Amino acid sequence: AIQLTQSPSSLSASVGDTVTITCRASQGISSALGWYQQKPEKPPKLLIYDASTLQSGVPSRFSGSGSATDFTLTISSLQPEDFATYYCQHFNSYLYTFGQGTKLEIK
Amino acid sequence: QLQLQESGPGLVKASETLSLTCTVFGGSISRSRYYWAWVRQPPGKGLEWIGSVHYSGSTYFNPSLKSRVTVSVDTSKNQFSLKVTSATAADTAVYYCAGDDGNGEHYFDCWGQGTLVTVSS
């Protein structure tokens, strides 16, 4: 099964900063990767799919890139509501896999 | 816009069966491409996909849970359900139901609010 490894596991940043989160797949997955945001006590929310396509209603400060094994989620000009945990996700051979998550905290 | 809502007991005794239902509002569960899923999250931990069902009845499961999991759909009630047998403390988690519209690659574009299930000894 394909494994997804996110880095870092956590990071601290300030409002207005730009941050990047990485997701590495254990084998090539083309561009079949999604990114989710999860706030405490809430369900995950799909932000980006197919590695770089913004889900409807998601602010443009969120962007995704990458293909094959290496992917990034970039958040520009961090807003207070962006401090949350972020997960990458892939589907292959009837199996959904999530990364272990990256917790973004306020510095 | 689809809305999903989980329901079921919040407390299950160890060795018994954990049962949850998800009701879909705002559209038919029989949407041809949609796959309906269960995802769980142990306290303080990450997300784990459990299994999925299509309205036609076809299912697929996380291999790590497959032997204990049943997922089914009731189109007449616009609901789908989860059963996990022989529950242990390791099954304590927030359980989410979610929908994958199956349009191209597979992602969960709608989620329930989640329900905490505690397995007690």
Side-chain angles (χ1 to χ4, degrees):
Chain A
I2 293 172
Q3 296 181 358
L4 300 177
T5 303
Q6 290 183 229
S7 61
S9 296
S10 64
L11 74 157
S12 298
S14 301
V15 172
D17 286 352
T18 294
V19 298
T20 297
I21 298 168
T22 296
C23 180
R24 176 161 290 175
S26 58
Q27 62 189 82
I29 60 171
S30 186
S31 60
L33 189 91
W35 289 98
Y36 298 81
Q37 175 193 66
Q38 186 180 32
K39 298 180 180 179
E41 312 301 322
K42 295 293 186 183
K45 173 187 175 183
L46 180 64
L47 298 176
I48 288 170
Y49 62 94
D50 293 348
S52 60
T53 303
L54 216 58
Q55 178 73 338
S56 176
V58 174
S60 59
R61 62 180 181 273
F62 292 90
S63 63
S65 65
S67 64
T69 59
D70 294 306
F71 301 86
T72 58
L73 171 69
T74 300
I75 313 171
S76 304
S77 187
L78 274 170
Q79 298 300 300
E81 60 268 28
D82 299 336
F83 292 94
T85 301
Y86 293 85
Y87 294 92
C88 55
Q89 176 256 312
H90 171 68
F91 173 89
N92 181 62
S93 298
Y94 298 98
L95 175 63
Y96 296 87
T97 303
F98 290 93
Q100 82 277 18
T102 296
K103 187 174 184 179
L104 174 58
E105 299 175 302
I106 299 176
K107 185 181 291 184
Chain B
Q1 183 174 348
L2 294 176
Q3 293 185 320
L4 283 64
Q5 183 175 310
E6 304 90 351
S7 58
L11 186 63
V12 175
K13 292 183 179 178
S15 79
E16 296 190 345
T17 297
L18 183 160
S19 298
L20 295 173
T21 296
C22 182
T23 303
V24 178
F25 299 96
S28 172
I29 201 170
S30 301
R31 292 180 173 215
S32 61
R33 294 182 303 199
Y34 255 88
Y35 279 80
W36 305 102
W38 291 96
V39 177
R40 71 181 183 180
Q41 186 170 37
K45 296 188 178 181
L47 301 166
E48 179 182 38
W49 169 71
I50 301 169
S52 295
V53 62
H54 185 255
Y55 83 93
S56 64
S58 64
T59 55
Y60 47 101
F61 303 102
N62 188 324
S64 68
L65 295 165
K66 184 176 183 178
S67 64
R68 298 194 295 127
V69 170
T70 302
V71 181
S72 59
V73 63
D74 186 339
T75 56
S76 68
K77 295 181 179 179
N78 232 36
Q79 294 176 336
F80 61 103
S81 299
L82 169 71
K83 293 186 186 296
V84 181
T85 60
S86 304
T88 71
D91 295 313
T92 294
V94 174
Y95 285 75
Y96 295 100
C97 57
D100 165 5
D101 74 358
N103 182 16
E105 296 298 336
H106 294 267
Y107 311 98
F108 300 118
D109 63 348
C110 54
W111 295 75
Q113 286 302 302
T115 187
L116 174 63
V117 178
T118 302
V119 179
S120 68
S121 55

